[in-house]
Amino acid sequence: DIVMTQTPLSLSVTPGQPASISCKSSQSLLHSDGKTFFYWYLQKPGQPPQLLIYEVSNRFSGVPDRFSGSGSGTAFTLRISRVEVEDVGVYYCMQTIQLPITFGQGTRLEIK
Amino acid sequence: EVQLVESGGGLVKPGGSLRLSCAASGFIFSNAWMSWVRQAPGKGLEWVGRIKSKTDGGTTDYAAPVKGRFTISRDDSKNTLYVQMNSLKTDDTAVYYCTTGYSWGQGTLVTVSS
């Protein structure tokens, strides 16, 4: 199974400040068709996960542009340019290039 | 607007069975590959399994912990996804979400306890 390792597991950020979460996969997520099957989700308290970023760097519909994704191969980063109170929750990375689909452990973001 | 609405959760004894449903709307369900993902209380996300669209073969894949006990199916005429869960264990206690990958339902809680 592909292991997804997120760091840090928690972070506390002052509103208006940037934040960054890393996710590393145990195998490359680059497919032979050129796509990279890597995603970021945010699970706000009491809610289901919501897709933020698909295929490394594409913001899903309605996602604010303060969220951005980057990376390649086995190393990926989610950046929030200016954290807002509504960004509180747990962030998960996920891969779908190989079954079983696997998730990172989650990174809990709280507001200072 | 895409909507996914799960139902069928509840309390069941170890060894028991339960069938969850997920009613889909707002997109062409028959074209979608659908997954079930679960989340044990206070834990992270765990993929349970998926079913491809019939045009892509309609085949199913499962995570190791549920293989042989869970069966995912779909009824494209009803825009509904199912998971039949047999031989339930206490470790299966979780909120079960159906998802297209892009959209998620609100989830339904399954509690396996004596």
Side-chain angles (χ1 to χ4, degrees), chain A residues 48-71:
Chain A
Q50 58 188 79
L51 179 64
L52 295 176
I53 302 287
Y54 64 96
E55 293 172 16
V56 180
S57 58
N58 299 285
R59 269 189 305 276
F60 189 51
S61 174
V63 175
D65 61 7
R66 63 178 181 276
F67 290 93
S68 64
S70 63

Side-chain angles (χ1 to χ4, degrees), chain B residues 38-46 90-96 109:
Chain B
R38 67 185 181 183
Q39 186 170 36
K43 301 297 185 183
L45 302 171
E46 179 186 24
T90 55
D91 285 351
D92 295 319
T93 294
V95 173
Y96 285 73
L109 175 62

Side-chain angles (χ1 to χ4, degrees), chain A residues 85-108:
Chain A
V85 172
E86 65 185 34
D87 301 335
V88 162
V90 181
Y91 291 78
Y92 294 95
C93 58
M94 182 189 79
Q95 67 78 23
T96 63
I97 196 171
Q98 181 187 104
L99 296 181
I101 292 170
T102 49
F103 294 88
Q105 320 95 297
T107 295
R108 185 173 301 276

